[in-house]
């Protein structure tokens, strides 16, 4: 009943608002397969290109055309944008330089921009001074600088058009995510989940930088922009008021995290934006209980569907109520249209931190599929499809085991079975392609006091490679690249890698999938089988995203290398081999044996015929 | 916590050697602070006189491990080994005396551009454990203590849940 009802609403909504609010310029650019105009390739977050000049038959001839050093040593996430004006736009980690490079002149610098930023923001960036890239619309580039300044630049000359203040580093806030332009708004989240920030997503006017709305991840409904009578949860109204306040002890929601620092996607037809929120405040679950019992800590680790004009929440789905493992829920929500039991549905797929691959109905937030894509996952056995809640395995419940108790061998680690590295989806194969992490952890919660601007973590971690299941896979691997069927909830193929695969994936109509490795190899694989067809060693480990575009009839592949991020912090020295027992000296492969720091853009194309 | 940072930040404009010189003058100020309040009467030998037996350690070394893991690991990587973000501290006891070490921790350091070691002067927990961290890192550097979480001599190993049951838990599902 309810399902049909919400369908009817959706259908009406569709007729009225179809494409009314998309940014017309950006939508046009996205529809042209020659351009790569948003970090995720399109509003739906698919990272798929219709270009097929570079394909399965000729990819072995792909060669580096030119390289460009960014001059910055820290981890380089995100990727280059191309909007058809002959220039490639790239960015760097702190100090967040922006370069416009001439595609026709081997990357000559057309203009560059370097803001003057307070380096005191650096220590409040938990996991390296990364930045996930630029956004573009109507001749403007947008970047969220580390020091919380959101900037609009003129794409012609790099002149600053406006600046907006999105946060305060003395409270532990910083910017790492890429903004998204929807209609006349620039949508921007915040980082600082390890510093007890109160997460928020904010819309700024694209012309002036004025703040239009801000929606918090916790606190009273008014602040969350949630109407308990209207906002849906598992297909029904939330019902209870102010859950963002009542599911926390005392005033703990004020430092309740839920920082949205990942990607935002957008459905122009439903006119809804989608994003996920991060971990709830301190990692010590005991400090988030109510009357000594686990509490949901809403709305941390939650997928939000919001109206981009007003910020009002249409539906919510909390993936992990009462987090005990730091499973930030920020992973990208891929908008995909799928067929389930003969029925056409508007899906939303997530390769999640938790090790589960989710499929939701993106009109009402109903949970359709939740299956493990990383089979070592053990914190929960499964999801209850009625309630949408995980069936937590008590043995790995760090709250049940207790404060100052070291709960061992929890899979996946706090890094997640997949972190921020965005996945790709091919509408031709119906599969999702993703780089994943195969790392487990020991987790020991401890009591922590809150001081503004200081880490508010409250747990220690010890990471280790995930054990192989039934001896399947490469010995000592810490990552894989997988093809995932989001409807069946099944892995189709998997390629193991020595290190976590921390780069964004690309799928193309040339029957290829691309990804980068932490050692620095850019690889092309057969989209059907995962067979490696081509690889190139870039100067440093890749945590950036592989993008593609076409200029003057030539298809290019481009990627930023430059090792770092949480991967660089956790894996540089290698991990302990759990088989060797406590205090072993022997380590699993150390990243530092393969790569060093340094940001470089490499641009590839096929040789002239 | 960032009390000395405003002036540190300004120095970024100066030449490389100038930066280094200025930072050292900070270190020396801090050193006096460290000498008077942190080390208080003990000399380095007592502080670094750790005990390791069968991979188990004395309480002070364990406290150092714990403080390192809680506070320093997020930048300096696991077990003192360094990361892509901050240098290894494995050999710190060779390059710095306890006093110098304590001064760096108290004052912070910003020698390389974009690399910020925050000041911990206002962090009581860290300052109370500076000696223990140094002791732990010394045990690591000498090769007497391996990676991971050590147990304390004379204590039950009961705090580690799941250690023994490994085999039956993993691999059973799916």
């Amino acid at each position: 009943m309810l399902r049909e009802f919400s369908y009817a609403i959706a259908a009406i909504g569709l007729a009225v608002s179809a494409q009314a609010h998309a940014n017309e310029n950006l939508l046009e650019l996205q529809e042209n397969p020659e351009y790569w105009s948003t970090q995720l390739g399109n509003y739906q977050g698919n990272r798929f290109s219709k270009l097929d000049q570079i394909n399965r038959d000729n990819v072995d001839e792909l060669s580096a055309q030119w390289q460009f050093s960014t001059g910055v040593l820290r981890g380089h996430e995100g990727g280059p944008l191309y909007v058809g004006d002959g220039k490639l736009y790239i960015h760097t980690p702190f100090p967040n330089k922006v370069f416009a490079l001439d595609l026709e002149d081997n990357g000559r610098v057309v203009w560059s921009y370097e803001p003057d930023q307070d380096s005191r923001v650096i220590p409040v960036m938990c996991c390296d001074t990364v930045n996930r890239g630029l956004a573009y619309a109507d001749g403007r580039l947008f970047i969220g600088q580390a020091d919380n300044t959101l900037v609009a630049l003129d794409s012609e000359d790099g002149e600053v058009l406006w600046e907006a203040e999105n946060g305060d580093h003395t409270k532990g806030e910083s910017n790492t995510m890429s903004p998204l332009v929807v209609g006349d708004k620039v949508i921007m989240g915040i980082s600082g989940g390890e510093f007890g920030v109160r997460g928020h997503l904010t819309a700024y006017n694209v012309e002036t930088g004025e703040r239009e709305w801000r929606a918090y991840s916790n606190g009273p409904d008014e602040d969350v922009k949630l109407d308990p009578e209207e906002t849906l949860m598992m297909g029904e109204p939330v019902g209870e008021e102010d859950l963002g306040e009542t599911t926390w002890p005392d005033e703990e929601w004020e430092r309740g995290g839920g920082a949205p620092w990942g990607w935002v996607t957008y459905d122009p037809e439903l006119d809804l934006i989608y994003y996920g929120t991060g971990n709830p405040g301190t990692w010590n679950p005991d400090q988030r209980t109510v009357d000594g019992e686990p509490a949901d800590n809403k709305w941390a680790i939650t997928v939000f569907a919001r109206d981009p004009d007003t910020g009002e929440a249409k539906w919510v789905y909390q993936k992990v109520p009462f987090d005990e493992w730091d499973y930030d829920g920020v992973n990208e929500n891929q908008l995909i249209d799928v067929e389930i039991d003969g029925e056409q549905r508007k899906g939303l797929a997530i390769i999640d931190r938790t090790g589960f691959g989710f499929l939701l109905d993106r009109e009402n937030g109903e949970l359709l599929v939740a299956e493990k894509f990383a089979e070592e996952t053990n914190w929960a056995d499964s999801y209850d499809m009625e309630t949408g809640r995980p069936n937590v395995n008590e043995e790995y419940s760090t709250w049940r085991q207790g404060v100052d108790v070291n709960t061992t061998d929890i899979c996946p680690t706090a890094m997640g079975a997949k972190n921020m590295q965005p996945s790709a989806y091919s509408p031709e194969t119906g599969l999702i392609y993703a780089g994943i992490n195969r790392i487990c952890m020991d987790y020991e919660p401890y009591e922590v006091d809150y001081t503004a601007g200081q880490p508010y973590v409250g747990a220690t971690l010890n990471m280790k490679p995930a054990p192989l299941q039934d001896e399947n896979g490469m010995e000592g691997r810490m990552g894989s690249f997988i093809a995932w069927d989001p409807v069946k909830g099944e892995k189709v193929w998997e390629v193991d890698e020595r290190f976590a695969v921390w780069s964004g994936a690309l799928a193309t109509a040339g029957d290829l999938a691309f990804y980068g490795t932490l050692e620095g190899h850019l690889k092309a694989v057969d989209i059907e089988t995962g067979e490696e067809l081509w690889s190139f060693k870039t100067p440093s480990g890749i945590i950036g995203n592989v993008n593609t575009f076409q200029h003057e009839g030539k298809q290019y592949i481009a990627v930023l290398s430059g090792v770092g991020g949480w991967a660089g912090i956790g894996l540089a020295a290698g991990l302990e081999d759990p088989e060797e027992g406590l205090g072993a000296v022997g380590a699993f492969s150390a990243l530092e044996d393969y790569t060093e720091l340094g940001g470089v853009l490499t641009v590839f194309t096929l040789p002239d015929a | 916590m960032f009390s000395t940072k405003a002036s540190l930040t300004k120095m970024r404009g100066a030449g490389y050697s100038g930066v280094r010189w200025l930072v050292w003058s900070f270190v020396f100020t801090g050193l006096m602070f460290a000498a008077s309040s942190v080390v208080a009467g003990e000399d380095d030998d007592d502080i670094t006189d750790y005990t390791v037996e069968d991979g188990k350690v004395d309480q002070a070394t364990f406290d150092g491990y714990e403080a390192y893991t809680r506070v320093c690991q997020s930048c300096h990587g696991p077990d003192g080994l360094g990361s892509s973000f901050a240098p290894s501290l494995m050999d710190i006891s060779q390059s710095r005396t306890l006093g110098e070490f304590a001064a760096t921790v108290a004052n912070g350091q910003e020698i390389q551009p974009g690399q910020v070691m925050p000041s911990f002067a206002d962090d009581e927990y860290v300052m109370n454990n500076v000696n223990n961290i140094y002791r732990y890192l010394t045990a690591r550097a000498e090769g007497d203590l391996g990676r991971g979480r050590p147990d304390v001599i004379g204590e039950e190993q009961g705090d580690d849940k799941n250690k023994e049951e490994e085999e039956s838990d993993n691999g059973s599902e799916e």
Side-chain angles (χ1 to χ4, degrees):
Chain A
M1 258 331 276
L2 217 131
R3 188 178 298 175
E4 277 159 38
F5 178 67
S6 55
Y7 266 134
I9 295 182
I12 299 167
L14 210 155
V16 180
S17 72
Q19 313 205 347
H21 294 117
N23 183 288
E24 293 300 335
N25 169 250
L26 192 50
L27 201 59
E28 237 169 73
L29 293 171
Q30 289 178 26
E31 278 160 7
N32 187 334
E34 299 203 346
Y35 305 157
W36 194 273
S37 55
T38 68
Q39 288 295 325
L40 300 186
N42 64 2
Y43 270 143
Q44 291 74 12
N46 298 146
R47 298 194 53 75
F48 173 78
S49 170
K50 291 192 185 122
L51 299 177
D52 62 0
Q53 188 179 83
I54 299 166
N55 58 50
R56 186 152 54 189
D57 298 327
N58 60 17
V59 69
D60 59 328
E61 291 169 44
L62 193 62
S63 40
Q65 199 73 11
W66 51 269
Q67 294 184 307
F68 177 83
S69 166
T70 67
V72 178
L73 294 178
R74 305 258 65 96
H76 283 58
E77 292 183 353
L81 296 185
Y82 181 67
V83 295
D85 58 4
K87 297 194 288 271
L88 211 48
Y89 297 108
I90 61 165
H91 68 289
T92 75
F94 186 96
N96 305 127
K97 299 191 211 179
V98 179
F99 295 99
L101 304 177
D102 189 343
L103 256 184
E104 290 173 8
D105 199 357
N106 290 329
R108 179 181 62 86
V109 180
V110 180
W111 58 256
S112 67
Y113 163 79
E114 181 175 348
D116 186 18
Q117 294 189 73
D118 188 341
S119 62
R120 280 177 296 178
V121 71
I122 293 176
V124 301
M125 303 187 80
C126 77
C127 314
D128 200 351
T129 54
V130 295
N131 187 291
R132 292 182 203 90
L134 297 160
Y136 175 90
D138 292 310
R140 295 190 185 89
L141 288 162
F142 305 90
I143 186 166
Q145 290 170 196
D147 68 354
N148 296 296
T149 314
L150 177 66
V151 189
L153 303 175
D154 186 329
S155 65
E156 277 301 309
D157 51 19
E159 288 301 310
V160 174
L161 299 172
W162 54 256
E163 294 186 346
E165 215 36 66
N166 188 50
D168 177 357
H169 73 78
T170 66
K171 291 196 285 182
E173 293 179 323
S174 62
N175 283 346
T176 62
M177 72 177 272
S178 174
L180 185 74
V181 180
V182 174
D184 60 355
K185 301 197 172 49
V186 187
I187 312 279
M188 187 66 191
I190 196 78
S191 302
E194 278 53 66
F195 292 80
V197 304
R198 184 180 175 206
H200 47 75
L201 190 85
T202 312
Y204 296 89
N205 185 289
V206 86
E207 304 274 342
T208 63
E210 244 166 282
R211 192 180 289 185
E212 307 254 343
W213 53 259
R214 167 165 285 183
Y216 286 92
S217 306
N218 27 46
D221 286 343
E222 196 189 338
D223 294 3
V224 179
K225 293 191 166 288
L226 180 154
D227 179 346
E229 310 280 302
E230 298 286 331
T231 307
L232 301 178
M233 180 164 69
M234 290 299 287
E236 292 183 43
V238 167
E240 266 181 83
E241 281 177 23
D242 296 327
L243 286 172
E245 222 178 332
T246 60
T247 57
W248 297 86
D250 304 324
E251 311 291 283
E252 195 62 28
W253 58 267
E254 290 176 5
R255 40 189 183 268
W261 57 267
W263 310 95
V264 181
T265 52
Y266 173 62
D267 183 331
E269 286 179 5
L270 298 176
D271 197 25
L272 290 175
I273 53 169
Y274 303 90
Y275 70 97
T277 61
N279 61 294
T282 166
W283 294 15
N284 175 9
D286 196 56
Q287 284 172 261
R288 290 183 271 104
T289 55
V290 173
D291 299 329
E293 288 299 318
D296 282 359
N297 307 146
K298 287 182 178 349
W299 302 93
I301 316 194
T302 298
V303 180
F304 275 95
R306 292 189 188 273
D307 179 327
D309 261 340
T310 62
E312 292 303 324
K314 291 293 154 161
W315 59 259
V316 286
Y317 170 61
Q318 190 174 34
K319 294 180 279 191
V320 185
F322 191 62
D323 171 64
E324 308 170 55
W325 314 269
D326 183 40
Y327 290 152
D328 280 49
V330 302
N331 287 12
E332 71 284 0
N333 299 294
Q334 284 240 22
L335 311 186
I336 64 178
D337 294 329
V338 294
E339 197 183 301
I340 297 186
D341 302 330
E343 212 186 326
Q344 204 59 34
R345 303 196 67 157
K346 291 181 182 297
L348 178 155
I350 313 165
I351 304 291
D352 199 52
R353 288 280 273 253
T354 53
F356 284 86
F358 294 107
L359 183 66
L360 282 77
D361 182 317
R362 72 173 179 271
E363 298 188 64
N364 61 12
E366 198 188 326
L367 181 63
L368 304 173
V369 177
E371 295 291 339
K372 293 175 186 177
F373 64 84
E375 50 278 1
E376 59 271 18
T377 301
N378 62 15
W379 68 278
D381 293 327
S382 55
Y383 266 75
D384 181 326
M385 301 306 285
E386 287 298 310
T387 61
R389 301 174 81 95
N391 295 311
V392 173
N393 193 337
E394 287 203 3
E395 219 174 320
Y396 302 106
S397 157
T398 67
W399 175 73
R400 281 199 192 281
Q401 303 300 341
V403 177
D404 294 326
V405 175
N406 191 28
T407 301
T408 56
D409 303 312
I410 306 165
C411 305
T413 154
M415 282 178 166
K418 185 178 94 51
N419 199 275
M420 64 81 217
Q421 59 269 43
S423 55
Y425 169 79
S426 163
E428 295 177 355
T429 62
L431 302 182
I432 291 179
Y433 303 88
I436 69 168
N437 315 327
R438 322 227 49 169
I439 304 172
C440 302
M441 66 175 170
D442 303 340
Y443 189 106
E444 183 171 347
Y446 64 90
E447 196 74 23
V448 62
D449 291 329
Y450 175 78
T451 310
Q454 301 292 325
Y456 188 54
V457 179
T460 58
L461 283 194
N462 183 21
M463 297 195 281
K464 48 183 88 172
L468 293 181
Q469 309 295 304
D470 308 322
E471 313 202 353
N472 270 329
M474 178 217 259
E475 195 62 46
R477 58 130 199 241
M478 287 178 265
S480 305
F481 188 68
I482 64 168
W484 174 255
D485 186 327
V487 176
K488 290 197 186 126
E490 277 173 15
K491 194 148 50 187
V492 177
W493 52 254
E494 152 179 307
V495 184
D496 285 341
E497 288 288 347
R498 188 176 287 116
F499 296 105
V501 180
W502 211 270
S503 86
L506 169 71
T508 77
D511 300 315
L512 296 170
F514 289 84
Y515 67 97
T517 71
L518 282 180
E519 297 100 310
H521 291 104
L522 178 64
K523 296 188 173 182
V525 299
D526 187 320
I527 206 165
E528 304 283 343
T529 61
E531 187 198 342
E532 185 175 316
L533 301 175
W534 171 86
S535 101
F536 177 88
K537 176 71 171 68
T538 66
S540 177
I542 301 176
I543 59 171
N545 309 330
V546 193
N547 295 351
T548 189
F549 51 90
Q550 188 156 307
H551 174 69
E552 304 276 321
K554 239 177 189 308
Q555 184 185 354
Y556 294 85
I557 302 281
V559 71
L560 282 167
S561 52
V563 79
W566 196 356
I569 292 171
L571 303 181
L575 299 178
E576 227 186 318
D577 182 350
E579 304 298 308
E580 281 189 49
L582 200 65
V585 235
F588 260 64
S589 305
L591 205 42
E592 64 190 14
D593 294 342
Y594 293 84
T595 187
E596 256 297 342
L597 305 172
V600 169
L601 173 77
T602 308
V603 177
F604 303 87
T605 170
L606 293 170
D608 289 320
Chain B
M1 155 171 179
F2 298 115
S3 49
T4 59
K5 270 306 167 40
S7 31
L8 277 176
T9 310
K10 274 194 226 112
M11 296 188 298
R12 282 207 306 148
Y16 188 81
S17 59
V19 172
R20 185 177 281 274
W21 189 86
L22 273 164
V23 170
W24 276 112
S25 66
F26 268 99
V27 168
F28 284 118
T29 330
L31 211 152
M32 281 147 62
F33 156 79
S36 58
S37 64
V38 181
V39 202
E42 295 174 278
D43 65 32
D44 286 14
D45 284 351
D46 292 336
I47 300 292
T48 54
D49 201 8
Y50 58 84
T51 313
V52 182
E53 284 168 13
D54 298 333
K56 294 187 176 192
V57 297
D58 61 284
Q59 187 65 46
T61 305
F62 179 81
D63 292 347
Y65 161 79
E66 193 167 66
Y68 176 85
T69 309
R70 287 180 179 183
V71 185
C72 322
Q73 168 171 286
S74 62
C75 295
H76 287 281
D79 310 311
L81 288 167
S83 81
S84 64
F85 192 68
S88 162
L89 299 178
M90 279 294 279
D91 294 328
I92 202 72
S93 57
Q94 265 142 54
S95 59
R96 283 171 205 225
T97 64
L98 173 62
E100 289 164 345
F101 177 79
T104 304
V105 175
N107 294 325
Q109 179 182 304
E110 191 173 345
I111 295 175
Q112 303 177 77
Q115 294 218 32
V116 179
M117 162 70 192
S119 145
F120 287 96
D122 297 337
D123 190 322
E124 223 177 296
Y125 172 71
V126 171
M127 291 325 291
N128 287 339
N129 275 287
V130 159
N131 297 356
N132 295 334
I133 297 173
Y134 191 77
R135 185 185 183 99
Y136 160 72
L137 290 171
T138 309
R140 290 279 296 126
E142 301 288 325
D144 290 326
L145 183 59
R147 296 189 60 171
R149 184 185 194 272
D151 286 312
V152 179
I153 293 166
E155 260 180 32
E156 285 292 314
Q157 210 189 298
D159 267 4
D160 271 19
K161 288 290 156 63
N162 303 335
K163 268 260 130 79
E164 309 303 325
E165 306 128 286
E166 222 160 72
E167 252 46 274
S168 56
D169 303 323
N170 301 327
S172 53
E173 298 124 28
E174 302 245 314

